[in-house]
Amino acid sequence: MEVVICPDAGGVGEVSAATIAQIVTRVGPQVVIGAATGSSPLATYSELADRVRAGTLDLSQASVFALDEYVGLPVGHPESYHDCIRRTVTEPLGLDPARVHVPDGNPDGLDTAGQRYEDAIRAAGGVDVQIVGIGVNGHIGFNEPTSSLSSRTRVKTLTEQTRRDNARFFDSLDEVPRHCITQGLGTVMDARHVLLVATGEHKADAVAAVVEGPVTAMRPGSVLQMHPHVTVVVDEAAASRLTMADYFRAAYDNRPDWQRNPAAPPSLLTV
Ligand code: GLP
């Protein structure tokens, strides 16, 4: 696991976007990107959009698979993840909407929605780089504590903590759905590289638990310790409870040239 500690949220966006651009360079234009919603990756998307506008990054043939979606929000609801991904990812990054996929939260097709999503990811050749944020309870996607560490895309019930955390995007807590459909932890673990972004002091406990704590379904993101290629990009506040922070800083600051090379294989990119 490579942990990069940046001075602030802007730095997190820059390093994350550079990591993704590096993977796009290596994989080629038909790269498959897993996208997270939430506030954490917004700076990353905005940095990527700058590169697309400047003509240094072409994502027009890229495919995107979102992590999750609420169940039951009407099509076009501004807080549906379909709409969030359109606003923050598809349009600014110049993606082909036909290649952008979000789990189907329509209650009518829920029994098959998970398998359909898994099939679509497999048909695209799997995810090259999966971006994830982290909930204060350690969830990734909407895999709440006690999620199976090998789970696949499926319907989940949101915890009250997550509903309260996400209520800021809705007019009231009552409007926050109780159910969601999310890529499973096993689905995320199938991605060839996982990029976790987190900012702010309120994420410090979750980051420390996921990076340095035991692997446990009570902190679902901790399953990433079992993944061979994970980059965790955090600001100083989110890193503030990491006991290995000095080691992570030294490892990143002293990367040799062969590790910085954009064409370097993943085995050379992580500490
Ligand atoms: C939400 C989303 C996650 C997101 C996380 C953190 O509930 N389902 O994909 O990563 O919580 O959100 P934020 O980045 O806004 O703190």
Side-chain angles (χ1 to χ4, degrees):
M1 191 176 268
E2 178 180 43
V3 180
V4 185
I5 302 173
C6 303
D8 52 30
V12 171
E14 280 168 34
V15 169
S16 304
T19 303
I20 293 164
Q22 202 171 22
I23 290 168
V24 176
T25 303
R26 198 178 64 243
V27 171
Q30 300 202 329
V31 63
V32 180
I33 298 173
T37 50
S39 46
S40 307
L42 292 179
T44 306
Y45 297 145
S46 146
E47 284 285 333
L48 288 172
D50 287 349
R51 290 168 185 245
V52 168
R53 269 193 302 274
T56 56
L57 182 68
D58 178 9
L59 293 174
S60 59
Q61 293 179 68
S63 298
V64 163
F65 286 88
L67 269 178
D68 45 16
E69 174 60 292
Y70 291 111
V71 167
L73 289 184
V75 174
H77 189 291
E79 292 313 323
S80 73
Y81 286 175
H82 271 82
D83 220 57
C84 290
I85 290 286
R86 178 187 59 74
R87 281 196 313 270
T88 61
V89 178
T90 311
E91 291 177 355
L93 270 54
L95 299 168
D96 174 358
R99 295 179 201 251
V100 178
H101 310 265
V102 181
D104 182 0
N106 183 338
D108 288 340
L110 274 185
D111 52 337
T112 59
Q115 190 57 52
R116 279 185 277 130
Y117 206 61
E118 293 279 333
D119 293 346
I121 293 174
R122 197 168 305 113
V127 173
D128 291 301
V129 56
Q130 175 66 59
I131 304 161
V132 298
I134 188 158
V136 294
N137 61 8
H139 75 218
I140 56 175
F142 269 139
N143 292 282
E144 299 285 32
T146 70
S147 288
S148 158
L149 299 183
S150 57
S151 48
R152 311 302 307 186
T153 306
R154 73 224 182 280
V155 173
K156 286 290 290 179
T157 302
L158 297 173
T159 61
E160 280 311 294
Q161 160 101 62
T162 297
R163 292 186 67 241
R164 278 197 307 274
D165 288 347
N166 289 2
R168 67 191 193 276
F169 299 115
F170 293 82
D171 289 338
S172 72
L173 179 59
D174 287 347
E175 289 182 26
V176 184
R178 291 186 182 278
H179 296 94
C180 63
I181 175 164
T182 181
Q183 284 191 37
L185 295 171
T187 318
V188 172
M189 289 290 284
D190 282 349
R192 288 180 273 278
H193 197 122
V194 179
L195 175 71
L196 187 153
V197 289
T199 57
E201 215 269 333
H202 63 303
K203 297 292 177 74
D205 281 335
V207 167
V210 161
V211 173
E212 297 180 343
V215 175
T216 164
M218 285 303 286
R219 295 290 197 167
S222 64
V223 73
L224 297 176
Q225 292 178 30
M226 308 288 287
H227 193 289
H229 299 298
V230 176
T231 305
V232 175
V233 189
V234 289
D235 66 0
E236 288 285 353
S240 58
R241 311 250 154 80
L242 288 171
T243 63
M244 296 287 287
D246 288 345
Y247 169 68
F248 297 137
R249 284 193 191 91
Y252 190 72
D253 292 345
N254 295 295
R255 281 170 306 151
D257 288 344
W258 46 261
Q259 214 173 35
R260 293 170 192 254
N261 177 356
S267 56
L268 294 183
L269 295 179
T270 51
V271 290

